[in-house]
Amino acid sequence: DTAVSQTPKYLVTQMGNDKSIKCEQNLGHDTMYWYKQDSKKFLKIMFSYNNKELIINETVPNRFSPKSPDKAHLNLHINSLELGDSAVYFCASSSTRASYEQYFGPGTRLTVT
Amino acid sequence: EDQVTQSPEALRLQEGESSSLNCSYTVSGLRGLFWYRQDPGKGPEFLFTLYSAGEEKEKERLKATLTKKESFLHITAPKPEDSATYLCAVQARGGSEKLVFGKGMKLTVNP
């Protein structure tokens, strides 16, 4: 009965490749997010979707493209991976009709070599 | 720009030694201040939301308080299982739902 799940858990790839991370939530929330946590453990928002509509895009390179096929899913596709993209990516979800707290997935550790 | 500063960056306590973690913030109209706990290799786990100055919330050995400029996470008689990184985040009123996080505070409780 996992609330927010992400796949894969680990992703190791070479520079220049294209990769995707998937996220699903079963909480019935209407808003989903992608955060990036760098090597210093600093969590920073990247994107947010509300009811499949992009509402936050925080100066992220356009090599990153989120896609929300429905309210329960938010995927992140990354083109032409660079060394600096290595980080842990977290998906989160919340309900704008409730108390705003965000629930996070377990994270995807991306390593670009 | 909304900003969150957490101090200290790391804290070591002996089991049973109470202490407090500080989160200072500047935000253009606070909707909520959030505390999370993060264990190594896991996602942040929601602990508390505080909405207005003077509000307090408790959960087991943890108590969070809020003023207009800062929040404290008080840990009473901590146990080794309280060892984790504690994250503070703010959410501003007016449209965007994003959380702005501090850099976190790594707590180690020795038995």
Side-chain angles (χ1 to χ4, degrees):
Chain A
D1 61 342
T2 305
V4 183
S5 59
Q6 294 178 229
T7 54
K9 174 81 172 162
Y10 299 97
L11 189 52
V12 181
T13 188
Q14 291 185 326
M15 284 175 55
N17 284 349
D18 303 338
K19 289 293 177 186
S20 292
I21 307 172
K22 296 186 176 183
C23 177
E24 177 181 1
Q25 56 95 3
N26 62 5
L27 297 167
H29 289 165
D30 58 359
T31 306
M32 296 183 72
Y33 312 80
W34 280 112
Y35 287 85
K36 179 179 180 180
Q37 189 169 47
D38 60 25
S39 57
K40 295 183 178 178
K41 309 296 184 188
F42 188 46
L43 257 176
K44 193 169 180 187
I45 184 77
M46 298 174 69
F47 300 104
S48 172
Y49 270 78
N50 176 266
N51 287 320
K52 301 194 297 176
E53 182 183 345
L54 181 67
I55 57 171
I56 298 175
N57 183 342
E58 287 279 310
T59 59
V60 177
N62 57 17
R63 297 183 295 104
F64 290 78
S65 52
K67 282 201 172 69
S68 181
D70 56 57
K71 284 197 304 184
H73 296 85
L74 180 62
N75 303 323
L76 183 65
H77 187 76
I78 315 170
N79 289 326
S80 303
L81 278 155
E82 300 177 356
L83 292 176
D85 298 332
S86 295
V88 182
Y89 293 84
F90 288 100
C91 177
S93 72
S94 70
S95 172
T96 55
R97 296 181 301 275
S99 51
Y100 300 107
E101 55 247 26
Q102 296 178 16
Y103 293 88
F104 285 77
T108 296
R109 180 174 292 278
L110 172 65
T111 303
V112 182
T113 61
Chain B
E1 188 178 325
D2 303 335
Q3 217 166 13
V4 176
T5 303
Q6 291 186 247
S7 61
E9 287 187 10
L11 183 63
R12 284 187 177 271
L13 299 173
Q14 288 299 121
E15 186 171 0
E17 180 187 0
S18 301
S19 189
S20 296
L21 317 180
N22 176 263
C23 170
S24 300
Y25 66 91
T26 54
V27 64
S28 51
L30 181 71
R31 173 185 280 163
L33 184 140
F34 301 80
W35 281 99
Y36 285 84
R37 168 190 171 129
Q38 187 174 23
D39 292 299
K42 296 193 175 181
E45 176 191 343
F46 171 74
L47 293 173
F48 304 108
T49 310
L50 301 166
Y51 295 104
S52 57
E55 190 175 359
E56 298 182 353
K57 288 199 176 165
E58 283 188 71
K59 180 179 179 180
E60 295 180 357
R61 295 176 292 282
L62 300 177
K63 178 178 168 181
T65 62
L66 182 67
T67 73
K68 288 187 178 179
K69 292 182 180 180
E70 57 191 352
S71 176
F72 290 95
L73 186 65
H74 306 279
I75 304 177
T76 302
K79 298 182 177 182
E81 52 262 42
D82 294 322
S83 297
T85 295
Y86 290 87
L87 301 166
C88 174
V90 295
Q91 189 178 61
R93 279 197 297 265
S96 171
E97 309 293 330
K98 72 177 182 181
L99 293 179
V100 175
F101 281 88
K103 292 187 177 180
M105 198 286 309
K106 184 175 180 180
L107 174 67
T108 304
V109 182
N110 296 316

PDB file of all heavy atoms in Angstrom, chain B residues 33-64:
ATOM      1  N   LEU B  33       4.629  26.139   7.631  1.00  0.00           N
ATOM      2  CA  LEU B  33       6.011  25.712   7.869  1.00  0.00           C
ATOM      3  C   LEU B  33       5.955  24.226   8.172  1.00  0.00           C
ATOM      4  O   LEU B  33       5.144  23.774   8.983  1.00  0.00           O
ATOM      5  CB  LEU B  33       6.639  26.489   9.028  1.00  0.00           C
ATOM      6  CG  LEU B  33       8.123  26.154   9.262  1.00  0.00           C
ATOM      7  CD1 LEU B  33       8.909  27.403   9.596  1.00  0.00           C
ATOM      8  CD2 LEU B  33       8.300  25.091  10.317  1.00  0.00           C
ATOM      9  N   PHE B  34       6.822  23.481   7.506  1.00  0.00           N
ATOM     10  CA  PHE B  34       6.763  22.027   7.552  1.00  0.00           C
ATOM     11  C   PHE B  34       8.053  21.462   8.113  1.00  0.00           C
ATOM     12  O   PHE B  34       9.146  21.929   7.780  1.00  0.00           O
ATOM     13  CB  PHE B  34       6.563  21.454   6.138  1.00  0.00           C
ATOM     14  CG  PHE B  34       5.316  21.945   5.457  1.00  0.00           C
ATOM     15  CD1 PHE B  34       5.277  23.190   4.850  1.00  0.00           C
ATOM     16  CD2 PHE B  34       4.170  21.163   5.432  1.00  0.00           C
ATOM     17  CE1 PHE B  34       4.121  23.648   4.225  1.00  0.00           C
ATOM     18  CE2 PHE B  34       3.018  21.612   4.809  1.00  0.00           C
ATOM     19  CZ  PHE B  34       2.999  22.850   4.208  1.00  0.00           C
ATOM     20  N   TRP B  35       7.924  20.439   8.938  1.00  0.00           N
ATOM     21  CA  TRP B  35       9.080  19.682   9.416  1.00  0.00           C
ATOM     22  C   TRP B  35       9.005  18.264   8.840  1.00  0.00           C
ATOM     23  O   TRP B  35       7.938  17.624   8.854  1.00  0.00           O
ATOM     24  CB  TRP B  35       9.109  19.602  10.936  1.00  0.00           C
ATOM     25  CG  TRP B  35       9.619  20.850  11.601  1.00  0.00           C
ATOM     26  CD1 TRP B  35       8.879  21.851  12.157  1.00  0.00           C
ATOM     27  CD2 TRP B  35      10.990  21.220  11.796  1.00  0.00           C
ATOM     28  NE1 TRP B  35       9.702  22.820  12.673  1.00  0.00           N
ATOM     29  CE2 TRP B  35      11.003  22.457  12.469  1.00  0.00           C
ATOM     30  CE3 TRP B  35      12.216  20.625  11.461  1.00  0.00           C
ATOM     31  CZ2 TRP B  35      12.185  23.122  12.823  1.00  0.00           C
ATOM     32  CZ3 TRP B  35      13.385  21.274  11.810  1.00  0.00           C
ATOM     33  CH2 TRP B  35      13.364  22.508  12.487  1.00  0.00           C
ATOM     34  N   TYR B  36      10.154  17.822   8.350  1.00  0.00           N
ATOM     35  CA  TYR B  36      10.287  16.465   7.818  1.00  0.00           C
ATOM     36  C   TYR B  36      11.474  15.788   8.483  1.00  0.00           C
ATOM     37  O   TYR B  36      12.430  16.440   8.896  1.00  0.00           O
ATOM     38  CB  TYR B  36      10.542  16.482   6.307  1.00  0.00           C
ATOM     39  CG  TYR B  36       9.331  16.813   5.454  1.00  0.00           C
ATOM     40  CD1 TYR B  36       8.966  18.139   5.227  1.00  0.00           C
ATOM     41  CD2 TYR B  36       8.557  15.804   4.883  1.00  0.00           C
ATOM     42  CE1 TYR B  36       7.865  18.440   4.445  1.00  0.00           C
ATOM     43  CE2 TYR B  36       7.458  16.102   4.098  1.00  0.00           C
ATOM     44  CZ  TYR B  36       7.123  17.420   3.879  1.00  0.00           C
ATOM     45  OH  TYR B  36       6.029  17.721   3.101  1.00  0.00           O
ATOM     46  N   ARG B  37      11.405  14.475   8.496  1.00  0.00           N
ATOM     47  CA  ARG B  37      12.535  13.650   8.939  1.00  0.00           C
ATOM     48  C   ARG B  37      13.001  12.834   7.736  1.00  0.00           C
ATOM     49  O   ARG B  37      12.169  12.290   6.993  1.00  0.00           O
ATOM     50  CB  ARG B  37      12.051  12.708  10.049  1.00  0.00           C
ATOM     51  CG  ARG B  37      13.044  11.608  10.388  1.00  0.00           C
ATOM     52  CD  ARG B  37      12.459  10.574  11.296  1.00  0.00           C
ATOM     53  NE  ARG B  37      13.405   9.455  11.398  1.00  0.00           N
ATOM     54  CZ  ARG B  37      13.822   8.942  12.548  1.00  0.00           C
ATOM     55  NH1 ARG B  37      13.352   9.412  13.693  1.00  0.00           N
ATOM     56  NH2 ARG B  37      14.682   7.945  12.547  1.00  0.00           N
ATOM     57  N   GLN B  38      14.324  12.765   7.525  1.00  0.00           N
ATOM     58  CA  GLN B  38      14.839  11.953   6.418  1.00  0.00           C
ATOM     59  C   GLN B  38      15.899  10.996   6.931  1.00  0.00           C
ATOM     60  O   GLN B  38      16.906  11.416   7.512  1.00  0.00           O
ATOM     61  CB  GLN B  38      15.420  12.839   5.302  1.00  0.00           C
ATOM     62  CG  GLN B  38      15.818  12.035   4.071  1.00  0.00           C
ATOM     63  CD  GLN B  38      16.246  12.899   2.911  1.00  0.00           C
ATOM     64  OE1 GLN B  38      16.664  14.043   3.074  1.00  0.00           O
ATOM     65  NE2 GLN B  38      16.146  12.361   1.705  1.00  0.00           N
ATOM     66  N   ASP B  39      15.662   9.713   6.728  1.00  0.00           N
ATOM     67  CA  ASP B  39      16.646   8.684   7.052  1.00  0.00           C
ATOM     68  C   ASP B  39      17.505   8.428   5.823  1.00  0.00           C
ATOM     69  O   ASP B  39      17.054   8.648   4.688  1.00  0.00           O
ATOM     70  CB  ASP B  39      15.933   7.402   7.491  1.00  0.00           C
ATOM     71  CG  ASP B  39      15.241   7.597   8.827  1.00  0.00           C
ATOM     72  OD1 ASP B  39      15.944   7.888   9.813  1.00  0.00           O
ATOM     73  OD2 ASP B  39      14.007   7.479   8.886  1.00  0.00           O
ATOM     74  N   PRO B  40      18.745   7.948   6.032  1.00  0.00           N
ATOM     75  CA  PRO B  40      19.651   7.719   4.885  1.00  0.00           C
ATOM     76  C   PRO B  40      19.023   6.812   3.843  1.00  0.00           C
ATOM     77  O   PRO B  40      18.454   5.768   4.170  1.00  0.00           O
ATOM     78  CB  PRO B  40      20.869   7.054   5.549  1.00  0.00           C
ATOM     79  CG  PRO B  40      20.857   7.549   6.948  1.00  0.00           C
ATOM     80  CD  PRO B  40      19.403   7.660   7.318  1.00  0.00           C
ATOM     81  N   GLY B  41      19.089   7.229   2.581  1.00  0.00           N
ATOM     82  CA  GLY B  41      18.584   6.417   1.481  1.00  0.00           C
ATOM     83  C   GLY B  41      17.076   6.410   1.340  1.00  0.00           C
ATOM     84  O   GLY B  41      16.538   5.623   0.560  1.00  0.00           O
ATOM     85  N   LYS B  42      16.392   7.292   2.073  1.00  0.00           N
ATOM     86  CA  LYS B  42      14.922   7.317   2.011  1.00  0.00           C
ATOM     87  C   LYS B  42      14.416   8.718   1.699  1.00  0.00           C
ATOM     88  O   LYS B  42      15.157   9.703   1.761  1.00  0.00           O
ATOM     89  CB  LYS B  42      14.335   6.838   3.333  1.00  0.00           C
ATOM     90  CG  LYS B  42      14.665   5.388   3.640  1.00  0.00           C
ATOM     91  CD  LYS B  42      13.830   4.856   4.766  1.00  0.00           C
ATOM     92  CE  LYS B  42      14.095   3.364   4.951  1.00  0.00           C
ATOM     93  NZ  LYS B  42      13.292   2.783   6.035  1.00  0.00           N
ATOM     94  N   GLY B  43      13.145   8.800   1.360  1.00  0.00           N
ATOM     95  CA  GLY B  43      12.537  10.089   1.113  1.00  0.00           C
ATOM     96  C   GLY B  43      12.158  10.778   2.411  1.00  0.00           C
ATOM     97  O   GLY B  43      12.008  10.135   3.450  1.00  0.00           O
ATOM     98  N   PRO B  44      11.998  12.100   2.380  1.00  0.00           N
ATOM     99  CA  PRO B  44      11.556  12.830   3.570  1.00  0.00           C
ATOM    100  C   PRO B  44      10.204  12.317   4.056  1.00  0.00           C
ATOM    101  O   PRO B  44       9.294  12.091   3.253  1.00  0.00           O
ATOM    102  CB  PRO B  44      11.463  14.273   3.087  1.00  0.00           C
ATOM    103  CG  PRO B  44      12.387  14.349   1.911  1.00  0.00           C
ATOM    104  CD  PRO B  44      12.286  13.014   1.253  1.00  0.00           C
ATOM    105  N   GLU B  45      10.098  12.186   5.369  1.00  0.00           N
ATOM    106  CA  GLU B  45       8.867  11.718   6.003  1.00  0.00           C
ATOM    107  C   GLU B  45       8.230  12.887   6.737  1.00  0.00           C
ATOM    108  O   GLU B  45       8.872  13.525   7.584  1.00  0.00           O
ATOM    109  CB  GLU B  45       9.182  10.589   6.982  1.00  0.00           C
ATOM    110  CG  GLU B  45       8.001  10.086   7.778  1.00  0.00           C
ATOM    111  CD  GLU B  45       8.425   9.164   8.913  1.00  0.00           C
ATOM    112  OE1 GLU B  45       9.571   8.669   8.885  1.00  0.00           O
ATOM    113  OE2 GLU B  45       7.622   8.946   9.829  1.00  0.00           O
ATOM    114  N   PHE B  46       6.978  13.167   6.413  1.00  0.00           N
ATOM    115  CA  PHE B  46       6.288  14.307   6.997  1.00  0.00           C
ATOM    116  C   PHE B  46       6.121  14.148   8.514  1.00  0.00           C
ATOM    117  O   PHE B  46       5.738  13.078   8.996  1.00  0.00           O
ATOM    118  CB  PHE B  46       4.915  14.469   6.339  1.00  0.00           C
ATOM    119  CG  PHE B  46       4.030  15.469   7.013  1.00  0.00           C
ATOM    120  CD1 PHE B  46       4.270  16.832   6.877  1.00  0.00           C
ATOM    121  CD2 PHE B  46       2.971  15.057   7.806  1.00  0.00           C
ATOM    122  CE1 PHE B  46       3.466  17.763   7.512  1.00  0.00           C
ATOM    123  CE2 PHE B  46       2.157  15.976   8.444  1.00  0.00           C
ATOM    124  CZ  PHE B  46       2.410  17.334   8.295  1.00  0.00           C
ATOM    125  N   LEU B  47       6.421  15.235   9.250  1.00  0.00           N
ATOM    126  CA  LEU B  47       6.234  15.245  10.705  1.00  0.00           C
ATOM    127  C   LEU B  47       5.115  16.204  11.123  1.00  0.00           C
ATOM    128  O   LEU B  47       4.141  15.794  11.734  1.00  0.00           O
ATOM    129  CB  LEU B  47       7.529  15.655  11.408  1.00  0.00           C
ATOM    130  CG  LEU B  47       8.709  14.707  11.322  1.00  0.00           C
ATOM    131  CD1 LEU B  47       9.958  15.343  11.934  1.00  0.00           C
ATOM    132  CD2 LEU B  47       8.387  13.390  12.016  1.00  0.00           C
ATOM    133  N   PHE B  48       5.299  17.503  10.809  1.00  0.00           N
ATOM    134  CA  PHE B  48       4.365  18.523  11.295  1.00  0.00           C
ATOM    135  C   PHE B  48       4.158  19.619  10.248  1.00  0.00           C
ATOM    136  O   PHE B  48       5.056  19.889   9.449  1.00  0.00           O
ATOM    137  CB  PHE B  48       4.919  19.250  12.531  1.00  0.00           C
ATOM    138  CG  PHE B  48       5.291  18.395  13.684  1.00  0.00           C
ATOM    139  CD1 PHE B  48       6.627  18.203  14.001  1.00  0.00           C
ATOM    140  CD2 PHE B  48       4.331  17.791  14.475  1.00  0.00           C
ATOM    141  CE1 PHE B  48       6.994  17.420  15.077  1.00  0.00           C
ATOM    142  CE2 PHE B  48       4.682  17.002  15.555  1.00  0.00           C
ATOM    143  CZ  PHE B  48       6.026  16.816  15.851  1.00  0.00           C
ATOM    144  N   THR B  49       2.985  20.256  10.338  1.00  0.00           N
ATOM    145  CA  THR B  49       2.753  21.537   9.677  1.00  0.00           C
ATOM    146  C   THR B  49       2.326  22.539  10.737  1.00  0.00           C
ATOM    147  O   THR B  49       1.478  22.235  11.583  1.00  0.00           O
ATOM    148  CB  THR B  49       1.629  21.456   8.631  1.00  0.00           C
ATOM    149  OG1 THR B  49       1.835  20.355   7.768  1.00  0.00           O
ATOM    150  CG2 THR B  49       1.584  22.738   7.807  1.00  0.00           C
ATOM    151  N   LEU B  50       2.925  23.734  10.681  1.00  0.00           N
ATOM    152  CA  LEU B  50       2.536  24.828  11.557  1.00  0.00           C
ATOM    153  C   LEU B  50       2.080  25.976  10.675  1.00  0.00           C
ATOM    154  O   LEU B  50       2.736  26.295   9.672  1.00  0.00           O
ATOM    155  CB  LEU B  50       3.715  25.267  12.433  1.00  0.00           C
ATOM    156  CG  LEU B  50       4.306  24.169  13.334  1.00  0.00           C
ATOM    157  CD1 LEU B  50       5.649  24.599  13.895  1.00  0.00           C
ATOM    158  CD2 LEU B  50       3.339  23.858  14.474  1.00  0.00           C
ATOM    159  N   TYR B  51       0.967  26.604  11.043  1.00  0.00           N
ATOM    160  CA  TYR B  51       0.389  27.608  10.163  1.00  0.00           C
ATOM    161  C   TYR B  51       0.505  29.029  10.681  1.00  0.00           C
ATOM    162  O   TYR B  51       0.555  29.973   9.888  1.00  0.00           O
ATOM    163  CB  TYR B  51      -1.093  27.296   9.914  1.00  0.00           C
ATOM    164  CG  TYR B  51      -1.311  26.009   9.153  1.00  0.00           C
ATOM    165  CD1 TYR B  51      -1.737  24.858   9.808  1.00  0.00           C
ATOM    166  CD2 TYR B  51      -1.106  25.953   7.780  1.00  0.00           C
ATOM    167  CE1 TYR B  51      -1.933  23.674   9.105  1.00  0.00           C
ATOM    168  CE2 TYR B  51      -1.305  24.770   7.068  1.00  0.00           C
ATOM    169  CZ  TYR B  51      -1.724  23.640   7.751  1.00  0.00           C
ATOM    170  OH  TYR B  51      -1.925  22.481   7.048  1.00  0.00           O
ATOM    171  N   SER B  52       0.530  29.207  12.013  1.00  0.00           N
ATOM    172  CA  SER B  52       0.544  30.574  12.530  1.00  0.00           C
ATOM    173  C   SER B  52       1.375  30.657  13.795  1.00  0.00           C
ATOM    174  O   SER B  52       1.551  29.669  14.528  1.00  0.00           O
ATOM    175  CB  SER B  52      -0.884  31.048  12.799  1.00  0.00           C
ATOM    176  OG  SER B  52      -1.531  30.175  13.694  1.00  0.00           O
ATOM    177  N   ALA B  53       1.912  31.855  14.051  1.00  0.00           N
ATOM    178  CA  ALA B  53       2.764  32.097  15.218  1.00  0.00           C
ATOM    179  C   ALA B  53       2.018  31.714  16.491  1.00  0.00           C
ATOM    180  O   ALA B  53       0.832  32.010  16.645  1.00  0.00           O
ATOM    181  CB  ALA B  53       3.182  33.557  15.259  1.00  0.00           C
ATOM    182  N   GLY B  54       2.737  31.021  17.358  1.00  0.00           N
ATOM    183  CA  GLY B  54       2.146  30.571  18.612  1.00  0.00           C
ATOM    184  C   GLY B  54       1.664  29.129  18.562  1.00  0.00           C
ATOM    185  O   GLY B  54       1.384  28.519  19.589  1.00  0.00           O
ATOM    186  N   GLU B  55       1.579  28.587  17.372  1.00  0.00           N
ATOM    187  CA  GLU B  55       1.084  27.214  17.227  1.00  0.00           C
ATOM    188  C   GLU B  55       2.157  26.219  17.670  1.00  0.00           C
ATOM    189  O   GLU B  55       3.345  26.454  17.471  1.00  0.00           O
ATOM    190  CB  GLU B  55       0.690  26.959  15.776  1.00  0.00           C
ATOM    191  CG  GLU B  55      -0.053  25.655  15.557  1.00  0.00           C
ATOM    192  CD  GLU B  55      -0.540  25.498  14.121  1.00  0.00           C
ATOM    193  OE1 GLU B  55      -0.305  26.417  13.298  1.00  0.00           O
ATOM    194  OE2 GLU B  55      -1.142  24.458  13.821  1.00  0.00           O
ATOM    195  N   GLU B  56       1.726  25.115  18.282  1.00  0.00           N
ATOM    196  CA  GLU B  56       2.622  24.053  18.710  1.00  0.00           C
ATOM    197  C   GLU B  56       2.007  22.716  18.315  1.00  0.00           C
ATOM    198  O   GLU B  56       0.793  22.556  18.345  1.00  0.00           O
ATOM    199  CB  GLU B  56       2.817  24.060  20.230  1.00  0.00           C
ATOM    200  CG  GLU B  56       3.456  25.312  20.782  1.00  0.00           C
ATOM    201  CD  GLU B  56       3.671  25.244  22.284  1.00  0.00           C
ATOM    202  OE1 GLU B  56       3.208  24.273  22.920  1.00  0.00           O
ATOM    203  OE2 GLU B  56       4.303  26.175  22.818  1.00  0.00           O
ATOM    204  N   LYS B  57       2.886  21.764  17.955  1.00  0.00           N
ATOM    205  CA  LYS B  57       2.414  20.408  17.673  1.00  0.00           C
ATOM    206  C   LYS B  57       3.397  19.415  18.261  1.00  0.00           C
ATOM    207  O   LYS B  57       4.592  19.672  18.302  1.00  0.00           O
ATOM    208  CB  LYS B  57       2.258  20.200  16.158  1.00  0.00           C
ATOM    209  CG  LYS B  57       1.072  20.957  15.601  1.00  0.00           C
ATOM    210  CD  LYS B  57       0.620  20.442  14.268  1.00  0.00           C
ATOM    211  CE  LYS B  57      -0.623  21.193  13.831  1.00  0.00           C
ATOM    212  NZ  LYS B  57      -0.922  21.016  12.402  1.00  0.00           N
ATOM    213  N   GLU B  58       2.863  18.289  18.707  1.00  0.00           N
ATOM    214  CA  GLU B  58       3.701  17.279  19.347  1.00  0.00           C
ATOM    215  C   GLU B  58       3.470  15.909  18.746  1.00  0.00           C
ATOM    216  O   GLU B  58       2.365  15.578  18.292  1.00  0.00           O
ATOM    217  CB  GLU B  58       3.353  17.180  20.851  1.00  0.00           C
ATOM    218  CG  GLU B  58       3.903  18.286  21.683  1.00  0.00           C
ATOM    219  CD  GLU B  58       3.708  18.041  23.169  1.00  0.00           C
ATOM    220  OE1 GLU B  58       4.378  17.166  23.732  1.00  0.00           O
ATOM    221  OE2 GLU B  58       2.868  18.741  23.746  1.00  0.00           O
ATOM    222  N   LYS B  59       4.561  15.131  18.737  1.00  0.00           N
ATOM    223  CA  LYS B  59       4.479  13.744  18.304  1.00  0.00           C
ATOM    224  C   LYS B  59       5.569  12.982  19.031  1.00  0.00           C
ATOM    225  O   LYS B  59       6.749  13.208  18.783  1.00  0.00           O
ATOM    226  CB  LYS B  59       4.662  13.657  16.792  1.00  0.00           C
ATOM    227  CG  LYS B  59       4.599  12.258  16.225  1.00  0.00           C
ATOM    228  CD  LYS B  59       4.780  12.294  14.703  1.00  0.00           C
ATOM    229  CE  LYS B  59       4.745  10.899  14.119  1.00  0.00           C
ATOM    230  NZ  LYS B  59       4.911  10.916  12.652  1.00  0.00           N
ATOM    231  N   GLU B  60       5.176  12.141  19.936  1.00  0.00           N
ATOM    232  CA  GLU B  60       6.105  11.350  20.741  1.00  0.00           C
ATOM    233  C   GLU B  60       7.106  12.289  21.417  1.00  0.00           C
ATOM    234  O   GLU B  60       6.730  13.140  22.208  1.00  0.00           O
ATOM    235  CB  GLU B  60       6.791  10.294  19.869  1.00  0.00           C
ATOM    236  CG  GLU B  60       5.799   9.265  19.332  1.00  0.00           C
ATOM    237  CD  GLU B  60       6.448   8.199  18.464  1.00  0.00           C
ATOM    238  OE1 GLU B  60       7.670   8.279  18.214  1.00  0.00           O
ATOM    239  OE2 GLU B  60       5.736   7.286  18.052  1.00  0.00           O
ATOM    240  N   ARG B  61       8.393  12.164  21.110  1.00  0.00           N
ATOM    241  CA  ARG B  61       9.414  12.967  21.794  1.00  0.00           C
ATOM    242  C   ARG B  61       9.675  14.308  21.090  1.00  0.00           C
ATOM    243  O   ARG B  61      10.541  15.068  21.507  1.00  0.00           O
ATOM    244  CB  ARG B  61      10.721  12.170  21.873  1.00  0.00           C
ATOM    245  CG  ARG B  61      10.602  10.924  22.748  1.00  0.00           C
ATOM    246  CD  ARG B  61      11.874  10.110  22.713  1.00  0.00           C
ATOM    247  NE  ARG B  61      12.107   9.508  21.414  1.00  0.00           N
ATOM    248  CZ  ARG B  61      11.487   8.437  20.969  1.00  0.00           C
ATOM    249  NH1 ARG B  61      10.582   7.835  21.720  1.00  0.00           N
ATOM    250  NH2 ARG B  61      11.759   7.946  19.760  1.00  0.00           N
ATOM    251  N   LEU B  62       8.938  14.594  20.047  1.00  0.00           N
ATOM    252  CA  LEU B  62       9.148  15.802  19.253  1.00  0.00           C
ATOM    253  C   LEU B  62       8.042  16.820  19.488  1.00  0.00           C
ATOM    254  O   LEU B  62       6.867  16.469  19.573  1.00  0.00           O
ATOM    255  CB  LEU B  62       9.189  15.462  17.756  1.00  0.00           C
ATOM    256  CG  LEU B  62      10.275  14.501  17.297  1.00  0.00           C
ATOM    257  CD1 LEU B  62      10.117  14.219  15.812  1.00  0.00           C
ATOM    258  CD2 LEU B  62      11.657  15.060  17.585  1.00  0.00           C
ATOM    259  N   LYS B  63       8.459  18.085  19.574  1.00  0.00           N
ATOM    260  CA  LYS B  63       7.490  19.181  19.692  1.00  0.00           C
ATOM    261  C   LYS B  63       7.970  20.324  18.828  1.00  0.00           C
ATOM    262  O   LYS B  63       9.116  20.755  18.940  1.00  0.00           O
ATOM    263  CB  LYS B  63       7.378  19.639  21.138  1.00  0.00           C
ATOM    264  CG  LYS B  63       6.427  20.808  21.361  1.00  0.00           C
ATOM    265  CD  LYS B  63       6.376  21.120  22.842  1.00  0.00           C
ATOM    266  CE  LYS B  63       5.713  22.417  23.136  1.00  0.00           C
ATOM    267  NZ  LYS B  63       5.698  22.727  24.581  1.00  0.00           N
ATOM    268  N   ALA B  64       7.100  20.804  17.938  1.00  0.00           N
ATOM    269  CA  ALA B  64       7.445  21.900  17.045  1.00  0.00           C
ATOM    270  C   ALA B  64       6.671  23.138  17.454  1.00  0.00           C
ATOM    271  O   ALA B  64       5.489  23.070  17.777  1.00  0.00           O
ATOM    272  CB  ALA B  64       7.124  21.530  15.600  1.00  0.00           C
TER     273      ALA B  64
END
